């Protein structure tokens, strides 16, 4: 809040990562202030060190079987008992 870092900054950072991923960068082209904010957060000393460490998992969001915006549509599978 104000000039103080809060958990909401990290929450928004992660949300912006998802938005960037799902929009292929289009949102950041339209709203460069969001891109600049995300970059500033990523440059915080401890976060920056974590992002380049082996502890950081850089992968698609929500596992490979998740669908974003429920796309592509899939027919439900009924399992026999």
């Amino acid at each position: 809040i104000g000039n103080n870092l809060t958990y909401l900054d990290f929450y928004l950072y992660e949300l912006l990562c998802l938005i960037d991923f799902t929009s292929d960068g289009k949102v950041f082209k339209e709203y460069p202030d969001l891109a600049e904010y995300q970059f500033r957060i990523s440059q915080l000393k401890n976060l920056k060190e974590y992002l380049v460490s082996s502890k950081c998992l850089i992968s698609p969001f929500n596992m490979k079987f998740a669908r974003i915006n429920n796309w592509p549509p899939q027919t439900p599978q009924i399992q026999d008992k």
Side-chain angles (χ1 to χ4, degrees), residues 2-79:
N3 291 328
N4 298 319
L5 191 64
T6 70
Y7 77 95
L8 291 173
D9 291 297
F10 295 100
Y11 179 79
L12 182 56
Y13 170 81
E14 189 171 18
L15 182 61
L16 289 173
C17 289
L18 177 63
I19 289 170
D20 185 41
F21 175 76
T22 58
S23 73
D24 290 325
K26 293 177 187 171
V27 171
F28 284 172
K29 288 178 185 170
E30 191 166 335
Y31 300 98
D33 288 345
L34 292 177
E36 198 270 329
Y37 173 84
Q38 183 194 34
F39 177 76
R40 280 196 340 257
I41 295 297
S42 74
Q43 298 305 297
L44 295 170
K45 183 182 182 297
N46 290 339
L47 182 57
K48 186 175 183 177
E49 289 173 3
Y50 170 74
L51 291 174
V52 297
S53 75
S54 61
K55 294 178 183 179
C56 181
L57 301 176
I58 302 294
S59 61
F61 294 85
N62 298 319
M63 307 292 279
K64 65 181 180 181
F65 53 81
R67 295 186 316 258
I68 296 173
N69 293 332
N70 204 27
W71 188 261
Q74 295 181 349
T75 305
Q77 301 295 317
I78 299 173
Q79 295 180 348

